[in-house]
Amino acid sequence: MSGRLPRRRVLTGAAILALPSVSTRAQTFPTGPIRIVVPFAPGGSTDLSARLVADGLSHRLGVSVVVENRPGAGATTGAQIVADAPPDGQTLVMSNIASHAISPSLYRNLRYDPVRSFTHIAMVITNPSAWVVNKDSGIENLSDLVRVARSRGGGLDMASSGSGSSNHLLIVRFCQQVGLDYTHVPFRGAGPAMTAVIAGQVPMMSDSLPSAANHIRQGSVRAIAMSSRARHPSFPDVPTFIEQGFDLVSTSWFALSGPAGMPALIVERLNRETMAVISTPEARARFAELGGDPGDMTPAQFSAFVAEEYERWAPVVRASGASVD
């Protein structure tokens, strides 16, 4: 019997030995451009947050960090792309309350688990929702909104950045509480929805404050309610839902996540660099301008937070009766 191994086995062993180890890949990270997938259309809060982080990480890591918008299916299309990507830190997602807390209960055939299918890296920004209306709608507050909706046979058209978003569920919760008929009009991101409201194609929308802030300041839409517990310091003239007699408080969040199984060294590096980016005076000033607060979580804390958010929103989705195949 010959002492030589079969040629195929020798080649396979050599190929394995030639592959860089996990620790080597982690130590040399990043090895090229980084892609941050945004699961919404350009112009919304998720997109704005991602571009701020991408710019800062590009400077700190010395590589190009590209934002890629992949909207659809309540933010699950973009999230699934990243769940299926190699866990090398080169493909990330701007995870959010829609993709990881609400849509997993809303979409019955979803292929990813919001916790186990991802490596959760860093919280970036949290913020309330703002309800805005077309400036010529005649709606000045939530009581006006209810009155107008009830005066119409089929209720009122209410827009959001997409089915399964926190803003969609805030509409559901409000209308359940009031006993109001409505038609949800989902868009493929906050940008297109806001354009429709400004043009008068839809009378109102529920939007995350960062993407609505400039439109409110410019007067292109009218803000009638804020979902924070107290008035937001950047918009002291906008009353909360609570002030107007509606027991509703809701906070959105936007964060950085990657595929499951990412090496700890890469995760720690990305968390450290992201925290450095959002801690700069420039970033904090930008967040304040947008009406958001910078995050401050370790990867372990963020992962636990995602699990808690999923558990918190699951009964809300069930109570709404909403589901998507």
Side-chain angles (χ1 to χ4, degrees):
M1 180 177 174
S2 169
R4 296 178 61 190
L5 292 173
R7 180 172 176 79
R8 183 176 61 182
R9 188 174 299 171
V10 171
L11 290 176
T12 302
I16 291 172
L17 289 173
L19 290 173
S21 67
V22 171
S23 61
T24 300
R25 292 200 303 272
Q27 290 168 3
T28 58
F29 172 83
T31 57
I34 294 173
R35 176 174 60 148
I36 299 179
V37 175
V38 171
F40 289 108
S45 298
T46 320
D47 183 67
L48 293 172
S49 302
R51 293 181 188 280
L52 189 152
V53 170
D55 185 60
L57 286 180
S58 178
H59 285 93
R60 294 190 65 85
L61 296 174
V63 297
S64 175
V65 181
V66 180
V67 172
E68 179 180 324
N69 296 89
R70 298 295 294 270
T76 64
T77 299
Q80 187 66 64
I81 289 170
V82 176
D84 293 337
D88 54 11
Q90 304 292 145
T91 302
L92 308 172
V93 63
M94 282 302 291
S95 52
N96 56 82
I97 193 171
S99 61
H100 284 74
I102 295 174
S103 289
S105 295
L106 184 68
Y107 287 79
R108 290 182 289 190
N109 297 319
L110 202 62
R111 291 194 292 114
Y112 67 76
D113 180 277
V115 178
R116 292 191 296 270
S117 301
F118 296 88
T119 300
H120 295 298
I121 299 165
M123 178 63 75
V124 173
I125 184 175
T126 60
N127 58 264
S129 294
W131 278 24
V132 300
V133 298
N134 177 274
K135 63 182 182 179
D136 299 319
S137 66
I139 298 172
E140 302 281 345
N141 50 47
L142 291 175
S143 294
D144 285 347
L145 182 74
V146 172
R147 174 182 52 78
V148 171
R150 286 182 173 156
S151 71
R152 302 184 181 184
L156 195 68
D157 288 345
M158 299 185 175
S160 79
S161 58
S163 296
S165 65
S166 60
N167 289 297
H168 169 207
L169 267 291
L170 186 57
I171 291 172
V172 171
R173 290 170 62 193
F174 177 82
C175 292
Q176 285 177 337
Q177 188 177 116
V178 179
L180 198 65
D181 289 332
Y182 71 99
T183 299
H184 176 229
V185 184
F187 285 80
R188 292 170 67 86
M194 182 63 75
T195 298
V197 173
I198 293 171
Q201 298 167 353
V202 184
M204 66 82 63
M205 75 173 290
S206 178
D207 193 14
S208 296
L209 184 54
S211 60
N214 284 338
H215 298 287
I216 296 171
R217 288 194 180 96
Q218 293 166 4
S220 52
V221 292
R222 179 185 300 117
I224 62 171
M226 201 78 72
S227 71
S228 47
R229 192 166 295 280
R231 292 201 182 199
H232 197 282
S234 298
F235 296 91
D237 295 332
V238 182
T240 65
F241 281 85
I242 292 175
E243 284 182 83
Q244 299 181 70
F246 303 96
D247 186 19
L248 287 174
V249 176
S250 180
T251 302
S252 297
W253 51 268
F254 308 94
L256 203 61
S257 301
M262 286 175 55
L265 286 176
I266 293 178
V267 176
E268 291 164 4
R269 173 94 185 273
L270 283 170
N271 177 272
R272 184 171 65 252
E273 301 293 1
T274 302
M275 290 299 100
V277 168
I278 66 176
S279 297
T280 63
E282 295 79 11
R284 288 185 175 274
R286 178 59 173 153
F287 281 163
E289 179 184 332
L290 293 171
D293 299 307
D296 184 17
M297 291 186 187
T298 65
Q301 289 170 334
F302 177 34
S303 186
F305 172 84
V306 173
E308 291 167 1
E309 281 283 275
Y310 171 69
E311 293 298 329
R312 185 168 78 90
W313 282 97
V316 177
V317 175
R318 288 195 295 270
S320 75
S323 65
V324 182
D325 292 326

